[in-house]
Amino acid sequence: MPTVTWSRLNEDRRAAVVAAAEAEFAAHGFSQGSLNVIARRAGVAKGSLFQYFADKRDLYAHITDVGSQRVRCYMEDQIRVLDPTRPFFAFLTDLLDVWVAYFAEHPRERSLHAAASFEVDTDTRVSVRAVIHRHYLEVLRPLVRDARGRGDLRPDADTDALLSLLLMILPHLALAPYVRGMDPVLGLDELSPDQPALVVRRYVAVLAAAFAPQPLTTATPGGAQSHG
């Protein structure tokens, strides 16, 4: 967490540091980003950064948290608009469409997501991914819990597995339509305007097959089975 010194800075100075750090990390990654460049662009001494944050990983985590909050606020607004009380997999389809569109329209957030996903330093990657995963799960867990309560998931559904799969799918959909080489299987390497929507529906179909309640099977005359 940032230090007390950071909290005492005026809002414009904090905004300048955040903007400079986001630009540098988006361009070069977290561990490869230059603190000298950040300090110069923000108009502060490099040593001041270590008065604002306990260490570099604290800075990385804070910048990740600020960016994640922006994404989260937008998506939570969209969740309310989409109505999360609808059947879960129909709602999830629309939510993932909004998610893909958001990252198409917000290159800064896309670049920061890429920096977190492709970070090569293990300790740094753990620091920033922990922040992102916390935001994901604080939003997703209630949606999955409520879906199970409504009967939109099988009674024996492994909801932890569902959440884990969503933690893999969401970052992939944030980046793969815009980063060549990430998905040669589902057609995202040769993008057409409707390809992300088709991919979303293929993912949701797989999730629904694994986690949605199975249709009731009833016996018909002659011993044949029909599905209700």
PDB file of all heavy atoms in Angstrom, residues 42-79:
ATOM      1  N   ALA A  42       6.719  12.792 -14.218  1.00  0.00           N
ATOM      2  CA  ALA A  42       5.806  13.239 -13.166  1.00  0.00           C
ATOM      3  C   ALA A  42       6.278  14.527 -12.497  1.00  0.00           C
ATOM      4  O   ALA A  42       5.520  15.128 -11.724  1.00  0.00           O
ATOM      5  CB  ALA A  42       5.650  12.144 -12.117  1.00  0.00           C
ATOM      6  N   GLY A  43       7.522  14.902 -12.777  1.00  0.00           N
ATOM      7  CA  GLY A  43       8.056  16.124 -12.172  1.00  0.00           C
ATOM      8  C   GLY A  43       8.418  15.968 -10.715  1.00  0.00           C
ATOM      9  O   GLY A  43       8.287  16.916  -9.929  1.00  0.00           O
ATOM     10  N   VAL A  44       8.887  14.764 -10.344  1.00  0.00           N
ATOM     11  CA  VAL A  44       9.327  14.525  -8.965  1.00  0.00           C
ATOM     12  C   VAL A  44      10.727  13.922  -8.991  1.00  0.00           C
ATOM     13  O   VAL A  44      11.179  13.416 -10.019  1.00  0.00           O
ATOM     14  CB  VAL A  44       8.357  13.573  -8.216  1.00  0.00           C
ATOM     15  CG1 VAL A  44       6.944  14.140  -8.200  1.00  0.00           C
ATOM     16  CG2 VAL A  44       8.369  12.180  -8.840  1.00  0.00           C
ATOM     17  N   ALA A  45      11.397  13.971  -7.850  1.00  0.00           N
ATOM     18  CA  ALA A  45      12.689  13.308  -7.739  1.00  0.00           C
ATOM     19  C   ALA A  45      12.490  11.798  -7.665  1.00  0.00           C
ATOM     20  O   ALA A  45      11.499  11.328  -7.092  1.00  0.00           O
ATOM     21  CB  ALA A  45      13.413  13.799  -6.488  1.00  0.00           C
ATOM     22  N   LYS A  46      13.438  11.044  -8.240  1.00  0.00           N
ATOM     23  CA  LYS A  46      13.316   9.586  -8.194  1.00  0.00           C
ATOM     24  C   LYS A  46      13.210   9.092  -6.758  1.00  0.00           C
ATOM     25  O   LYS A  46      12.430   8.184  -6.455  1.00  0.00           O
ATOM     26  CB  LYS A  46      14.504   8.936  -8.899  1.00  0.00           C
ATOM     27  CG  LYS A  46      14.458   7.407  -8.887  1.00  0.00           C
ATOM     28  CD  LYS A  46      15.675   6.812  -9.566  1.00  0.00           C
ATOM     29  CE  LYS A  46      15.661   5.290  -9.493  1.00  0.00           C
ATOM     30  NZ  LYS A  46      16.868   4.696 -10.117  1.00  0.00           N
ATOM     31  N   GLY A  47      13.973   9.698  -5.864  1.00  0.00           N
ATOM     32  CA  GLY A  47      13.926   9.285  -4.465  1.00  0.00           C
ATOM     33  C   GLY A  47      12.557   9.477  -3.840  1.00  0.00           C
ATOM     34  O   GLY A  47      12.196   8.776  -2.891  1.00  0.00           O
ATOM     35  N   SER A  48      11.795  10.424  -4.374  1.00  0.00           N
ATOM     36  CA  SER A  48      10.455  10.658  -3.828  1.00  0.00           C
ATOM     37  C   SER A  48       9.554   9.456  -4.035  1.00  0.00           C
ATOM     38  O   SER A  48       8.649   9.199  -3.226  1.00  0.00           O
ATOM     39  CB  SER A  48       9.827  11.893  -4.476  1.00  0.00           C
ATOM     40  OG  SER A  48      10.541  13.062  -4.146  1.00  0.00           O
ATOM     41  N   LEU A  49       9.780   8.704  -5.117  1.00  0.00           N
ATOM     42  CA  LEU A  49       8.950   7.534  -5.367  1.00  0.00           C
ATOM     43  C   LEU A  49       9.032   6.553  -4.205  1.00  0.00           C
ATOM     44  O   LEU A  49       8.059   5.871  -3.883  1.00  0.00           O
ATOM     45  CB  LEU A  49       9.359   6.852  -6.672  1.00  0.00           C
ATOM     46  CG  LEU A  49       9.126   7.661  -7.954  1.00  0.00           C
ATOM     47  CD1 LEU A  49       9.652   6.896  -9.167  1.00  0.00           C
ATOM     48  CD2 LEU A  49       7.652   7.995  -8.133  1.00  0.00           C
ATOM     49  N   PHE A  50      10.209   6.483  -3.577  1.00  0.00           N
ATOM     50  CA  PHE A  50      10.381   5.551  -2.460  1.00  0.00           C
ATOM     51  C   PHE A  50       9.931   6.156  -1.139  1.00  0.00           C
ATOM     52  O   PHE A  50       9.957   5.482  -0.108  1.00  0.00           O
ATOM     53  CB  PHE A  50      11.830   5.086  -2.397  1.00  0.00           C
ATOM     54  CG  PHE A  50      12.211   4.256  -3.586  1.00  0.00           C
ATOM     55  CD1 PHE A  50      12.976   4.797  -4.604  1.00  0.00           C
ATOM     56  CD2 PHE A  50      11.774   2.947  -3.711  1.00  0.00           C
ATOM     57  CE1 PHE A  50      13.305   4.046  -5.720  1.00  0.00           C
ATOM     58  CE2 PHE A  50      12.104   2.190  -4.822  1.00  0.00           C
ATOM     59  CZ  PHE A  50      12.869   2.737  -5.829  1.00  0.00           C
ATOM     60  N   GLN A  51       9.530   7.416  -1.176  1.00  0.00           N
ATOM     61  CA  GLN A  51       8.817   7.986  -0.038  1.00  0.00           C
ATOM     62  C   GLN A  51       7.306   7.755  -0.186  1.00  0.00           C
ATOM     63  O   GLN A  51       6.579   7.718   0.796  1.00  0.00           O
ATOM     64  CB  GLN A  51       9.094   9.489   0.066  1.00  0.00           C
ATOM     65  CG  GLN A  51      10.547   9.821   0.380  1.00  0.00           C
ATOM     66  CD  GLN A  51      10.794  11.319   0.413  1.00  0.00           C
ATOM     67  OE1 GLN A  51       9.958  12.107  -0.029  1.00  0.00           O
ATOM     68  NE2 GLN A  51      11.958  11.706   0.923  1.00  0.00           N
ATOM     69  N   TYR A  52       6.889   7.578  -1.436  1.00  0.00           N
ATOM     70  CA  TYR A  52       5.471   7.347  -1.703  1.00  0.00           C
ATOM     71  C   TYR A  52       5.084   5.876  -1.585  1.00  0.00           C
ATOM     72  O   TYR A  52       3.936   5.552  -1.261  1.00  0.00           O
ATOM     73  CB  TYR A  52       5.100   7.818  -3.109  1.00  0.00           C
ATOM     74  CG  TYR A  52       5.444   9.246  -3.430  1.00  0.00           C
ATOM     75  CD1 TYR A  52       5.710   9.632  -4.744  1.00  0.00           C
ATOM     76  CD2 TYR A  52       5.506  10.228  -2.440  1.00  0.00           C
ATOM     77  CE1 TYR A  52       6.006  10.946  -5.064  1.00  0.00           C
ATOM     78  CE2 TYR A  52       5.822  11.541  -2.748  1.00  0.00           C
ATOM     79  CZ  TYR A  52       6.072  11.887  -4.064  1.00  0.00           C
ATOM     80  OH  TYR A  52       6.394  13.186  -4.377  1.00  0.00           O
ATOM     81  N   PHE A  53       6.042   4.984  -1.895  1.00  0.00           N
ATOM     82  CA  PHE A  53       5.783   3.550  -1.929  1.00  0.00           C
ATOM     83  C   PHE A  53       6.900   2.811  -1.205  1.00  0.00           C
ATOM     84  O   PHE A  53       8.051   3.242  -1.220  1.00  0.00           O
ATOM     85  CB  PHE A  53       5.684   3.054  -3.385  1.00  0.00           C
ATOM     86  CG  PHE A  53       4.627   3.766  -4.173  1.00  0.00           C
ATOM     87  CD1 PHE A  53       4.953   4.859  -4.964  1.00  0.00           C
ATOM     88  CD2 PHE A  53       3.304   3.362  -4.099  1.00  0.00           C
ATOM     89  CE1 PHE A  53       3.971   5.535  -5.675  1.00  0.00           C
ATOM     90  CE2 PHE A  53       2.321   4.030  -4.807  1.00  0.00           C
ATOM     91  CZ  PHE A  53       2.661   5.122  -5.598  1.00  0.00           C
ATOM     92  N   ALA A  54       6.543   1.681  -0.588  1.00  0.00           N
ATOM     93  CA  ALA A  54       7.527   0.942   0.206  1.00  0.00           C
ATOM     94  C   ALA A  54       8.667   0.409  -0.659  1.00  0.00           C
ATOM     95  O   ALA A  54       9.832   0.398  -0.241  1.00  0.00           O
ATOM     96  CB  ALA A  54       6.839  -0.209   0.935  1.00  0.00           C
ATOM     97  N   ASP A  55       8.346  -0.035  -1.859  1.00  0.00           N
ATOM     98  CA  ASP A  55       9.348  -0.553  -2.783  1.00  0.00           C
ATOM     99  C   ASP A  55       8.726  -0.595  -4.173  1.00  0.00           C
ATOM    100  O   ASP A  55       7.589  -0.155  -4.376  1.00  0.00           O
ATOM    101  CB  ASP A  55       9.840  -1.946  -2.360  1.00  0.00           C
ATOM    102  CG  ASP A  55       8.704  -2.943  -2.125  1.00  0.00           C
ATOM    103  OD1 ASP A  55       7.640  -2.814  -2.784  1.00  0.00           O
ATOM    104  OD2 ASP A  55       8.856  -3.842  -1.284  1.00  0.00           O
ATOM    105  N   LYS A  56       9.473  -1.124  -5.139  1.00  0.00           N
ATOM    106  CA  LYS A  56       8.978  -1.133  -6.523  1.00  0.00           C
ATOM    107  C   LYS A  56       7.721  -1.988  -6.665  1.00  0.00           C
ATOM    108  O   LYS A  56       6.789  -1.604  -7.378  1.00  0.00           O
ATOM    109  CB  LYS A  56      10.076  -1.640  -7.472  1.00  0.00           C
ATOM    110  CG  LYS A  56      11.219  -0.670  -7.672  1.00  0.00           C
ATOM    111  CD  LYS A  56      12.130  -1.086  -8.802  1.00  0.00           C
ATOM    112  CE  LYS A  56      12.899  -2.336  -8.451  1.00  0.00           C
ATOM    113  NZ  LYS A  56      13.902  -2.678  -9.501  1.00  0.00           N
ATOM    114  N   ARG A  57       7.675  -3.111  -5.977  1.00  0.00           N
ATOM    115  CA  ARG A  57       6.492  -3.963  -6.105  1.00  0.00           C
ATOM    116  C   ARG A  57       5.254  -3.280  -5.532  1.00  0.00           C
ATOM    117  O   ARG A  57       4.138  -3.497  -6.019  1.00  0.00           O
ATOM    118  CB  ARG A  57       6.730  -5.317  -5.436  1.00  0.00           C
ATOM    119  CG  ARG A  57       7.634  -6.238  -6.257  1.00  0.00           C
ATOM    120  CD  ARG A  57       7.593  -7.647  -5.738  1.00  0.00           C
ATOM    121  NE  ARG A  57       8.147  -7.742  -4.394  1.00  0.00           N
ATOM    122  CZ  ARG A  57       8.068  -8.821  -3.629  1.00  0.00           C
ATOM    123  NH1 ARG A  57       7.428  -9.891  -4.065  1.00  0.00           N
ATOM    124  NH2 ARG A  57       8.610  -8.840  -2.440  1.00  0.00           N
ATOM    125  N   ASP A  58       5.450  -2.465  -4.519  1.00  0.00           N
ATOM    126  CA  ASP A  58       4.331  -1.691  -3.977  1.00  0.00           C
ATOM    127  C   ASP A  58       3.820  -0.692  -5.016  1.00  0.00           C
ATOM    128  O   ASP A  58       2.614  -0.501  -5.174  1.00  0.00           O
ATOM    129  CB  ASP A  58       4.792  -0.968  -2.709  1.00  0.00           C
ATOM    130  CG  ASP A  58       3.639  -0.367  -1.921  1.00  0.00           C
ATOM    131  OD1 ASP A  58       2.537  -0.936  -1.946  1.00  0.00           O
ATOM    132  OD2 ASP A  58       3.853   0.671  -1.272  1.00  0.00           O
ATOM    133  N   LEU A  59       4.751  -0.075  -5.735  1.00  0.00           N
ATOM    134  CA  LEU A  59       4.374   0.829  -6.819  1.00  0.00           C
ATOM    135  C   LEU A  59       3.632   0.067  -7.918  1.00  0.00           C
ATOM    136  O   LEU A  59       2.569   0.509  -8.388  1.00  0.00           O
ATOM    137  CB  LEU A  59       5.619   1.503  -7.400  1.00  0.00           C
ATOM    138  CG  LEU A  59       5.433   2.304  -8.697  1.00  0.00           C
ATOM    139  CD1 LEU A  59       4.475   3.473  -8.488  1.00  0.00           C
ATOM    140  CD2 LEU A  59       6.786   2.802  -9.208  1.00  0.00           C
ATOM    141  N   TYR A  60       4.183  -1.085  -8.324  1.00  0.00           N
ATOM    142  CA  TYR A  60       3.523  -1.883  -9.366  1.00  0.00           C
ATOM    143  C   TYR A  60       2.094  -2.241  -8.956  1.00  0.00           C
ATOM    144  O   TYR A  60       1.151  -2.136  -9.754  1.00  0.00           O
ATOM    145  CB  TYR A  60       4.290  -3.185  -9.618  1.00  0.00           C
ATOM    146  CG  TYR A  60       5.734  -3.048 -10.011  1.00  0.00           C
ATOM    147  CD1 TYR A  60       6.644  -4.071  -9.712  1.00  0.00           C
ATOM    148  CD2 TYR A  60       6.214  -1.909 -10.655  1.00  0.00           C
ATOM    149  CE1 TYR A  60       7.971  -3.980 -10.073  1.00  0.00           C
ATOM    150  CE2 TYR A  60       7.550  -1.804 -11.019  1.00  0.00           C
ATOM    151  CZ  TYR A  60       8.430  -2.842 -10.717  1.00  0.00           C
ATOM    152  OH  TYR A  60       9.761  -2.743 -11.053  1.00  0.00           O
ATOM    153  N   ALA A  61       1.944  -2.691  -7.711  1.00  0.00           N
ATOM    154  CA  ALA A  61       0.622  -3.122  -7.243  1.00  0.00           C
ATOM    155  C   ALA A  61      -0.350  -1.955  -7.209  1.00  0.00           C
ATOM    156  O   ALA A  61      -1.524  -2.108  -7.576  1.00  0.00           O
ATOM    157  CB  ALA A  61       0.741  -3.760  -5.862  1.00  0.00           C
ATOM    158  N   HIS A  62       0.126  -0.781  -6.798  1.00  0.00           N
ATOM    159  CA  HIS A  62      -0.778   0.369  -6.724  1.00  0.00           C
ATOM    160  C   HIS A  62      -1.228   0.801  -8.114  1.00  0.00           C
ATOM    161  O   HIS A  62      -2.421   1.079  -8.326  1.00  0.00           O
ATOM    162  CB  HIS A  62      -0.101   1.540  -6.018  1.00  0.00           C
ATOM    163  CG  HIS A  62      -0.984   2.746  -5.919  1.00  0.00           C
ATOM    164  ND1 HIS A  62      -2.099   2.784  -5.110  1.00  0.00           N
ATOM    165  CD2 HIS A  62      -0.938   3.950  -6.556  1.00  0.00           C
ATOM    166  CE1 HIS A  62      -2.696   3.967  -5.245  1.00  0.00           C
ATOM    167  NE2 HIS A  62      -2.016   4.678  -6.116  1.00  0.00           N
ATOM    168  N   ILE A  63      -0.309   0.856  -9.049  1.00  0.00           N
ATOM    169  CA  ILE A  63      -0.666   1.259 -10.409  1.00  0.00           C
ATOM    170  C   ILE A  63      -1.630   0.245 -11.015  1.00  0.00           C
ATOM    171  O   ILE A  63      -2.603   0.618 -11.695  1.00  0.00           O
ATOM    172  CB  ILE A  63       0.596   1.416 -11.279  1.00  0.00           C
ATOM    173  CG1 ILE A  63       1.490   2.528 -10.724  1.00  0.00           C
ATOM    174  CG2 ILE A  63       0.222   1.695 -12.725  1.00  0.00           C
ATOM    175  CD1 ILE A  63       0.814   3.874 -10.570  1.00  0.00           C
ATOM    176  N   THR A  64      -1.399  -1.023 -10.748  1.00  0.00           N
ATOM    177  CA  THR A  64      -2.317  -2.059 -11.227  1.00  0.00           C
ATOM    178  C   THR A  64      -3.693  -1.889 -10.599  1.00  0.00           C
ATOM    179  O   THR A  64      -4.727  -2.051 -11.266  1.00  0.00           O
ATOM    180  CB  THR A  64      -1.759  -3.457 -10.904  1.00  0.00           C
ATOM    181  OG1 THR A  64      -0.469  -3.604 -11.510  1.00  0.00           O
ATOM    182  CG2 THR A  64      -2.686  -4.549 -11.420  1.00  0.00           C
ATOM    183  N   ASP A  65      -3.723  -1.546  -9.325  1.00  0.00           N
ATOM    184  CA  ASP A  65      -4.994  -1.369  -8.631  1.00  0.00           C
ATOM    185  C   ASP A  65      -5.769  -0.191  -9.212  1.00  0.00           C
ATOM    186  O   ASP A  65      -6.989  -0.281  -9.411  1.00  0.00           O
ATOM    187  CB  ASP A  65      -4.743  -1.148  -7.144  1.00  0.00           C
ATOM    188  CG  ASP A  65      -6.019  -1.170  -6.327  1.00  0.00           C
ATOM    189  OD1 ASP A  65      -6.785  -2.140  -6.442  1.00  0.00           O
ATOM    190  OD2 ASP A  65      -6.253  -0.210  -5.583  1.00  0.00           O
ATOM    191  N   VAL A  66      -5.086   0.909  -9.503  1.00  0.00           N
ATOM    192  CA  VAL A  66      -5.762   2.083 -10.068  1.00  0.00           C
ATOM    193  C   VAL A  66      -6.391   1.730 -11.414  1.00  0.00           C
ATOM    194  O   VAL A  66      -7.558   2.045 -11.679  1.00  0.00           O
ATOM    195  CB  VAL A  66      -4.769   3.257 -10.224  1.00  0.00           C
ATOM    196  CG1 VAL A  66      -5.407   4.398 -11.015  1.00  0.00           C
ATOM    197  CG2 VAL A  66      -4.323   3.763  -8.853  1.00  0.00           C
ATOM    198  N   GLY A  67      -5.616   1.055 -12.276  1.00  0.00           N
ATOM    199  CA  GLY A  67      -6.151   0.665 -13.579  1.00  0.00           C
ATOM    200  C   GLY A  67      -7.276  -0.342 -13.461  1.00  0.00           C
ATOM    201  O   GLY A  67      -8.284  -0.263 -14.178  1.00  0.00           O
ATOM    202  N   SER A  68      -7.127  -1.294 -12.545  1.00  0.00           N
ATOM    203  CA  SER A  68      -8.165  -2.304 -12.354  1.00  0.00           C
ATOM    204  C   SER A  68      -9.455  -1.686 -11.841  1.00  0.00           C
ATOM    205  O   SER A  68     -10.556  -2.137 -12.203  1.00  0.00           O
ATOM    206  CB  SER A  68      -7.678  -3.380 -11.375  1.00  0.00           C
ATOM    207  OG  SER A  68      -6.569  -4.084 -11.900  1.00  0.00           O
ATOM    208  N   GLN A  69      -9.329  -0.665 -11.009  1.00  0.00           N
ATOM    209  CA  GLN A  69     -10.520   0.011 -10.501  1.00  0.00           C
ATOM    210  C   GLN A  69     -11.304   0.668 -11.637  1.00  0.00           C
ATOM    211  O   GLN A  69     -12.541   0.652 -11.642  1.00  0.00           O
ATOM    212  CB  GLN A  69     -10.131   1.066  -9.462  1.00  0.00           C
ATOM    213  CG  GLN A  69      -9.724   0.496  -8.123  1.00  0.00           C
ATOM    214  CD  GLN A  69     -10.904   0.069  -7.269  1.00  0.00           C
ATOM    215  OE1 GLN A  69     -12.050   0.047  -7.711  1.00  0.00           O
ATOM    216  NE2 GLN A  69     -10.622  -0.280  -6.031  1.00  0.00           N
ATOM    217  N   ARG A  70     -10.603   1.254 -12.591  1.00  0.00           N
ATOM    218  CA  ARG A  70     -11.300   1.870 -13.729  1.00  0.00           C
ATOM    219  C   ARG A  70     -12.092   0.823 -14.502  1.00  0.00           C
ATOM    220  O   ARG A  70     -13.257   1.042 -14.853  1.00  0.00           O
ATOM    221  CB  ARG A  70     -10.298   2.555 -14.671  1.00  0.00           C
ATOM    222  CG  ARG A  70      -9.708   3.841 -14.152  1.00  0.00           C
ATOM    223  CD  ARG A  70      -9.062   4.627 -15.278  1.00  0.00           C
ATOM    224  NE  ARG A  70      -8.016   3.881 -15.959  1.00  0.00           N
ATOM    225  CZ  ARG A  70      -6.731   3.910 -15.625  1.00  0.00           C
ATOM    226  NH1 ARG A  70      -6.321   4.650 -14.604  1.00  0.00           N
ATOM    227  NH2 ARG A  70      -5.839   3.226 -16.305  1.00  0.00           N
ATOM    228  N   VAL A  71     -11.432  -0.296 -14.796  1.00  0.00           N
ATOM    229  CA  VAL A  71     -12.108  -1.365 -15.534  1.00  0.00           C
ATOM    230  C   VAL A  71     -13.291  -1.896 -14.726  1.00  0.00           C
ATOM    231  O   VAL A  71     -14.389  -2.087 -15.253  1.00  0.00           O
ATOM    232  CB  VAL A  71     -11.123  -2.504 -15.861  1.00  0.00           C
ATOM    233  CG1 VAL A  71     -11.842  -3.628 -16.607  1.00  0.00           C
ATOM    234  CG2 VAL A  71      -9.951  -1.987 -16.681  1.00  0.00           C
ATOM    235  N   ARG A  72     -13.062  -2.107 -13.449  1.00  0.00           N
ATOM    236  CA  ARG A  72     -14.104  -2.665 -12.597  1.00  0.00           C
ATOM    237  C   ARG A  72     -15.316  -1.745 -12.511  1.00  0.00           C
ATOM    238  O   ARG A  72     -16.460  -2.208 -12.609  1.00  0.00           O
ATOM    239  CB  ARG A  72     -13.536  -2.937 -11.211  1.00  0.00           C
ATOM    240  CG  ARG A  72     -14.569  -3.471 -10.230  1.00  0.00           C
ATOM    241  CD  ARG A  72     -13.927  -3.865  -8.931  1.00  0.00           C
ATOM    242  NE  ARG A  72     -14.916  -4.292  -7.940  1.00  0.00           N
ATOM    243  CZ  ARG A  72     -14.603  -4.833  -6.772  1.00  0.00           C
ATOM    244  NH1 ARG A  72     -13.340  -5.027  -6.456  1.00  0.00           N
ATOM    245  NH2 ARG A  72     -15.569  -5.189  -5.932  1.00  0.00           N
ATOM    246  N   CYS A  73     -15.090  -0.466 -12.326  1.00  0.00           N
ATOM    247  CA  CYS A  73     -16.208   0.472 -12.222  1.00  0.00           C
ATOM    248  C   CYS A  73     -17.056   0.443 -13.485  1.00  0.00           C
ATOM    249  O   CYS A  73     -18.298   0.429 -13.420  1.00  0.00           O
ATOM    250  CB  CYS A  73     -15.692   1.887 -11.959  1.00  0.00           C
ATOM    251  SG  CYS A  73     -15.091   2.133 -10.279  1.00  0.00           S
ATOM    252  N   TYR A  74     -16.381   0.420 -14.640  1.00  0.00           N
ATOM    253  CA  TYR A  74     -17.117   0.374 -15.901  1.00  0.00           C
ATOM    254  C   TYR A  74     -17.924  -0.915 -16.004  1.00  0.00           C
ATOM    255  O   TYR A  74     -19.117  -0.900 -16.350  1.00  0.00           O
ATOM    256  CB  TYR A  74     -16.163   0.491 -17.080  1.00  0.00           C
ATOM    257  CG  TYR A  74     -16.849   0.406 -18.415  1.00  0.00           C
ATOM    258  CD1 TYR A  74     -17.414   1.533 -18.995  1.00  0.00           C
ATOM    259  CD2 TYR A  74     -16.965  -0.808 -19.085  1.00  0.00           C
ATOM    260  CE1 TYR A  74     -18.077   1.457 -20.221  1.00  0.00           C
ATOM    261  CE2 TYR A  74     -17.626  -0.904 -20.295  1.00  0.00           C
ATOM    262  CZ  TYR A  74     -18.177   0.233 -20.864  1.00  0.00           C
ATOM    263  OH  TYR A  74     -18.835   0.137 -22.065  1.00  0.00           O
ATOM    264  N   MET A  75     -17.277  -2.039 -15.696  1.00  0.00           N
ATOM    265  CA  MET A  75     -17.951  -3.326 -15.866  1.00  0.00           C
ATOM    266  C   MET A  75     -19.080  -3.501 -14.857  1.00  0.00           C
ATOM    267  O   MET A  75     -20.120  -4.085 -15.181  1.00  0.00           O
ATOM    268  CB  MET A  75     -16.935  -4.471 -15.745  1.00  0.00           C
ATOM    269  CG  MET A  75     -15.914  -4.520 -16.877  1.00  0.00           C
ATOM    270  SD  MET A  75     -16.644  -4.598 -18.544  1.00  0.00           S
ATOM    271  CE  MET A  75     -17.553  -6.139 -18.465  1.00  0.00           C
ATOM    272  N   GLU A  76     -18.920  -2.986 -13.651  1.00  0.00           N
ATOM    273  CA  GLU A  76     -20.007  -3.094 -12.683  1.00  0.00           C
ATOM    274  C   GLU A  76     -21.218  -2.274 -13.125  1.00  0.00           C
ATOM    275  O   GLU A  76     -22.363  -2.684 -12.913  1.00  0.00           O
ATOM    276  CB  GLU A  76     -19.517  -2.679 -11.300  1.00  0.00           C
ATOM    277  CG  GLU A  76     -18.612  -3.728 -10.665  1.00  0.00           C
ATOM    278  CD  GLU A  76     -18.159  -3.374  -9.268  1.00  0.00           C
ATOM    279  OE1 GLU A  76     -17.946  -2.170  -8.995  1.00  0.00           O
ATOM    280  OE2 GLU A  76     -17.999  -4.301  -8.452  1.00  0.00           O
ATOM    281  N   ASP A  77     -20.973  -1.125 -13.732  1.00  0.00           N
ATOM    282  CA  ASP A  77     -22.085  -0.359 -14.305  1.00  0.00           C
ATOM    283  C   ASP A  77     -22.783  -1.165 -15.390  1.00  0.00           C
ATOM    284  O   ASP A  77     -24.024  -1.199 -15.471  1.00  0.00           O
ATOM    285  CB  ASP A  77     -21.588   0.963 -14.883  1.00  0.00           C
ATOM    286  CG  ASP A  77     -21.238   1.986 -13.816  1.00  0.00           C
ATOM    287  OD1 ASP A  77     -21.668   1.808 -12.651  1.00  0.00           O
ATOM    288  OD2 ASP A  77     -20.527   2.959 -14.136  1.00  0.00           O
ATOM    289  N   GLN A  78     -21.993  -1.830 -16.238  1.00  0.00           N
ATOM    290  CA  GLN A  78     -22.569  -2.625 -17.315  1.00  0.00           C
ATOM    291  C   GLN A  78     -23.324  -3.838 -16.784  1.00  0.00           C
ATOM    292  O   GLN A  78     -24.354  -4.242 -17.334  1.00  0.00           O
ATOM    293  CB  GLN A  78     -21.472  -3.060 -18.290  1.00  0.00           C
ATOM    294  CG  GLN A  78     -20.840  -1.916 -19.055  1.00  0.00           C
ATOM    295  CD  GLN A  78     -21.857  -1.149 -19.857  1.00  0.00           C
ATOM    296  OE1 GLN A  78     -22.597  -1.707 -20.661  1.00  0.00           O
ATOM    297  NE2 GLN A  78     -21.916   0.165 -19.644  1.00  0.00           N
ATOM    298  N   ILE A  79     -22.826  -4.429 -15.719  1.00  0.00           N
ATOM    299  CA  ILE A  79     -23.507  -5.574 -15.112  1.00  0.00           C
ATOM    300  C   ILE A  79     -24.908  -5.177 -14.670  1.00  0.00           C
ATOM    301  O   ILE A  79     -25.886  -5.910 -14.887  1.00  0.00           O
ATOM    302  CB  ILE A  79     -22.675  -6.125 -13.940  1.00  0.00           C
ATOM    303  CG1 ILE A  79     -21.463  -6.896 -14.481  1.00  0.00           C
ATOM    304  CG2 ILE A  79     -23.526  -7.034 -13.036  1.00  0.00           C
ATOM    305  CD1 ILE A  79     -20.450  -7.282 -13.418  1.00  0.00           C
TER     306      ILE A  79
END
